[in-house]
Amino acid sequence: MTLLAFSRPFWPLFLHVLGAMLLYGAVIAALVVAATGRARATLTSLIVAVPCFVLLRVFAQIILNDENYAKDPTWVGIGFMASDLGLLILLVSIGVAFWWTRSGKAVAGRIAAGLSAVYLVLLTVAMLAMSGKWG
């Protein structure tokens, strides 16, 4: 595995993994602050996750284009499914967190925390697929 990673271009893989780690951390932070009842901090954490998502997704596509697979492996499909569905969940979470900051309703905080937890599960599945190279 180390030899395989060594043979790849360094910067695209580094920036893809950096974006993934920062995204994971931002979503964890959003979940924690949503669970503690801080609306504005939840919104800020979720907004910070957007550039992290862009970094992850752009460099994932660059890496995939450099590899020239005849057919995409299973782990690539899992990663793209998680990122595409995750973007939808992230945008809905931002909307709910914004609603929470404007209205102050506790149900919005629970929804934001729940969506963040679902997104964390998706990110974890994608991470496991990428690290284990399923299929």
Side-chain angles (χ1 to χ4, degrees):
M1 180 62 114
T2 305
L3 181 62
L4 183 66
F6 183 72
S7 66
R8 305 270 191 278
F10 174 74
W11 287 109
L13 182 61
F14 174 77
L15 292 172
H16 169 69
V17 172
L18 178 68
M21 290 188 313
L22 292 174
L23 178 62
Y24 203 84
V27 175
I28 286 175
L31 176 61
V32 168
V33 294
T36 60
R38 296 187 174 107
R40 191 163 307 277
T42 304
L43 180 61
T44 303
S45 297
L46 290 170
I47 289 174
V48 165
V50 173
C52 301
F53 175 85
V54 171
L55 188 67
L56 167 131
R57 190 64 170 86
V58 165
F59 285 100
Q61 193 64 50
I62 289 171
I63 292 168
L64 183 65
N65 289 343
D66 287 345
E67 293 300 318
N68 294 325
Y69 290 113
K71 180 182 172 216
D72 287 342
T74 304
W75 54 271
V76 172
I78 292 170
F80 281 142
M81 182 272 311
S83 70
D84 294 345
L85 184 59
L87 178 62
L88 179 65
I89 292 171
L90 180 62
L91 294 176
V92 170
S93 298
I94 290 172
V96 170
F98 181 75
W99 170 48
W100 188 21
T101 59
R102 302 292 283 178
S103 69
K105 294 185 179 185
V107 69
R110 289 191 292 274
I111 293 171
L115 287 172
S116 296
V118 168
Y119 193 26
L120 276 177
V121 169
L122 269 177
L123 289 173
T124 302
V125 168
M127 179 202 52
L128 291 172
M130 296 292 141
S131 63
K133 306 288 193 246
W134 300 342

